[in-house]
Amino acid sequence: MNGHANGNGKLLARRPSAPMMPPMMVSAPGKVIVFGEHAVVHGKKAIAAAISLRSYLLVTFLSKTRRSVSLRFPDVGLSHSWNIDDLPWAAFAAPGKKKYYYDLVTSLDEELVEALQPHIQSISPKKPEQIRKIHQASASAFLYLFLSLGSQKSPPCIYTLRSTIPIGAGLGSSASIAVCLATALLLQIRALSGPHEDQPSAESELQIQRINHWAFVAECAIHGNPSGVDNTVSSGGKAVLFQRTDYAAPPRVEPLRSFPELPLLLVDTRQSRSTSAEVAKVATLKKTHPIIADNILNSIHDVTESAHNLITRDDFELNAESLQHLGELITINHGLLVSLGVSHPKLERIRALIDHTGIGWTKLTGAGGGGCAITIVKPTEDDEVPRPPVDLENTLIDEGFQTFHTTLAGDGVGVLWPAVLHNGLEEEGGTEIDQEKFLNAEGTEGVETLVGVSVNLGNVNAVREGWRFWRP
Ligand SMILES: Nc1ncnc2c1ncn2[C@@H]1O[C@H](COP(=O)(O)OP(=O)(O)OP(=O)(O)O)[C@@H](O)[C@H]1O
Ligand SMILES: C[C@@](O)(CCO)CC(=O)[O-]
C-alpha cells in the first residue's frame, strides 16, 4: 500500500519522492599518431588525430537512500561499489588540497593518491595481479576525479562503460575513458555549458579545455607520466600538431581543424609490446649512432612539417593530388620508423599484404614493436566509402590480425542527455538507454548499433540524432 498510518490509524499519502534524473551518456574517441611518433619524444613535431572508435559511458542515477557509487566496466571485467560516506572526503577537502572545477591541476597530489589507497587496494582481491592492476588503474582515475570534483553530497550513481577501442594497442583507450569520466563528472556538477548547436566557438573551446585538464589528471592516475597528446585529441576531436621541447613546460598544441576526415583501415597485430621498451630502443640507437639517428628523427620531423604545411594551406582541399602527397609521407614515415628499429615482423607482414593490393599507404602507429598499423585507403572510382578488398581482410584475419574500419579526424567528446535514442525500432519518443540494454548490447558492433554517435546514411556518416558535441 502506498502510504503509512498516522496515530489515528488513518492512512496518510506518502509524499512523492523527487523524480530521479534520467540517465546520461557521454562518449569520447580514441586516437592514432598519424606522423611523428618517437621523434616527438625527442622534441620534434607529431600529428595525432581522433578515430571513430570510441568509449561510451552511461551514468544512471540511484535513489538518494542508496549512498553508493559503482563502476561497471565489463570490457576489463571490473565491477565495484563504494559507500560514498566511506570515501576520504576530508583529505580532498583539507585546506590547500581542495580543488575546484576551474582549477588548473597539472599533476596528482601524492598525499591524496595515498588517501585513496585503501579504497583502491580492496578492488578485485581474488583476480590475478595483472588484471587487478588494470582494475585499479581505471578505478584510481575515477576516484581521483570523483573526490576532486564531487562532494559527500554527490548523488549515488552507477557508471557503466563500454568501449569499441582495443585496449593497450596504442589507440588511446585510457585517454578516452579519462575524457568520458571527466565530462560526466563536470556535467553532474554543472561546470560545463552546452553542448548546443549555436554555442559560440570560444565558449565551446573553453568547455573542451576544462574537460581536457581534468582528463589529463585521470590519465596521470592511469599512466603516471602521459605526454597529454591522447587526452587532448580525445576531448577536442579532429587532429592536432603536438610538440614538447621542454618537459618542464606545457606542450605546444595546435588544433588542425582542416585535417581531412580520411577513411582508415586499422590493423591490430595483437602483438603485445611495451611503449617504454620501444622508446628505449631509439634512445640506444641515438647513443650508438648519434648522427644517423638524429638525421632520421629530423627527417621524421620534416615529414610531419610537410603534412602540416599541406593541410594548413589556405587553398587546401582533399583531392587525388593532396591525398597522394599525404600517402607518400605515410610511406616515408614508416620507412624511417623501420630504420629506427621499432617495427616488427608482424607489422611488416601487414604492410606487405596491403602494399601488394595497392589499396593505399601503410605505416605503424604509436610505439611500434607490435600494436597497430594504419592504412589510408585510396578512394574508389565510384566515390563510395573506400573499403579494402574482402580477400585482403580475410587473409589478415586468417593470419591472426584484427581489422577495424574507422575514420580519421572525427568529433571529440559528445553528450547524450537524456540518454534517449531514436533507433527506428522502438517505442514512440525513442528508447531510453538503461543499464540493462547497454550491458546486453553484443560486442562492439552491438554497442555501436545501440548507442553509436554516428549513423551510416548510404555513403556518408552523419551524427545520430540526440548526440551533441562542442565544436569550436
Ligand atoms: N574499456 C575500458 N574499460 C575499462 N578500463 C579501460 C578501458 N580501456 C582502457 N582502460 C584503462 O586504460 C588502461 C590502458 O591504458 P594503456 O595506456 O595501457 O593503453 P592504451 O591507452 O590503449 O594505449 P596508448 O596509451 O599506448 O595509446 C587499462 O589498464 C585500463 O585501466
Ligand atoms: C612512441 C611514442 O612517441 C608514441 C606512443 O604512442 C611515445 C610517446 O610519444 O610518449
Side-chain angles (χ1 to χ4, degrees), residues 38 42 74 119 149 154 178 190 195 224 228 255 263 297 330 332 367 401 414 445 472:
H38 285 289
H42 302 275
H119 308 275
L149 293 170
S154 296
R190 314 264 170 204
L297 295 172
I330 289 276
I332 298 168
F401 305 124
E445 271 184 30

Side-chain angles (χ1 to χ4, degrees), residues 143-196:
L143 273 192
Y144 201 96
L145 292 195
F146 186 64
L147 278 115
S148 299
L149 293 170
S151 76
Q152 200 163 346
K153 293 197 188 112
S154 296
C157 285
I158 306 176
Y159 296 84
T160 309
L161 184 121
R162 298 200 58 188
S163 180
T164 66
I165 309 168
I167 302 171
L171 301 179
S173 72
S174 61
S176 87
I177 75 157
V179 172
C180 285
L181 292 172
T183 308
L185 291 167
L186 285 164
L187 282 168
Q188 281 185 256
I189 60 164
R190 314 264 170 204
L192 297 172
S193 79
H196 51 83

Side-chain angles (χ1 to χ4, degrees), residues 31 75-76 134 137-138 161 163 167-168 170-174 223 230:
K31 68 95 209 340
D75 301 337
V76 295
I134 293 173
S138 306
L161 184 121
S163 180
I167 302 171
L171 301 179
S173 72
S174 61
H223 267 292
D230 291 11

